[in-house]
Amino acid sequence: MTSDDSAFFSIVQGEAQLDSDRALVAFLRERIAERDGQATDEERALLSAVKRVLEVFDTNFEAQSSAGGDDRAAGRSEALGWTLRAVAFAAFWSHPTWQPQWRP
């Protein structure tokens, strides 16, 4: 494999992960919207916390996209993505639209 092949493979893998993260964010927003009206106070507090993590993820996701290689932005996005996958798995793994690649 040449260095050009390796670079291309790395780009493709990165794009696939970004697509998966985008789909997970959409999934979580849909689940939050579904539960919002019928949630208990405790569940509302949890949903609110997940919304805040989604907002931070969106901010870091945009920063990573525009930074084009900033290791700190990439690290923050990766950590937040893992957090979102862990929360999503814990709360929604049995939902019919759950995707196995979101598992932490």
Side-chain angles (χ1 to χ4, degrees):
M1 182 180 287
T2 68
S3 64
D4 288 342
D5 291 340
S6 295
F8 178 74
F9 185 70
S10 179
I11 290 168
V12 169
Q13 277 188 316
E15 286 298 316
Q17 183 60 51
L18 291 175
D19 287 345
S20 180
D21 288 346
R22 288 180 187 116
L24 175 60
V25 167
F27 172 83
L28 282 170
R29 287 201 168 108
E30 290 168 3
R31 302 299 70 77
I32 290 169
E34 283 176 359
R35 295 294 310 149
D36 207 25
Q38 54 195 349
T40 64
D41 288 341
E42 184 176 306
E43 191 176 9
R44 269 192 207 94
L46 176 62
L47 293 174
S48 177
V50 174
K51 284 180 191 177
R52 286 193 303 274
V53 173
L54 285 170
E55 289 169 7
V56 173
F57 180 82
D58 284 343
T59 300
N60 279 283
F61 182 78
E62 291 304 320
Q64 179 186 357
S65 296
S66 65
D70 179 356
D71 289 340
R72 291 180 64 192
R76 283 189 300 269
S77 289
E78 187 176 320
L80 288 167
W82 188 90
T83 300
L84 290 174
R85 287 189 296 279
V87 168
F89 180 72
F92 303 114
W93 68 269
S94 63
H95 193 275
T97 61
W98 170 261
Q99 295 182 22
Q101 73 265 23
W102 294 335
R103 190 171 186 183

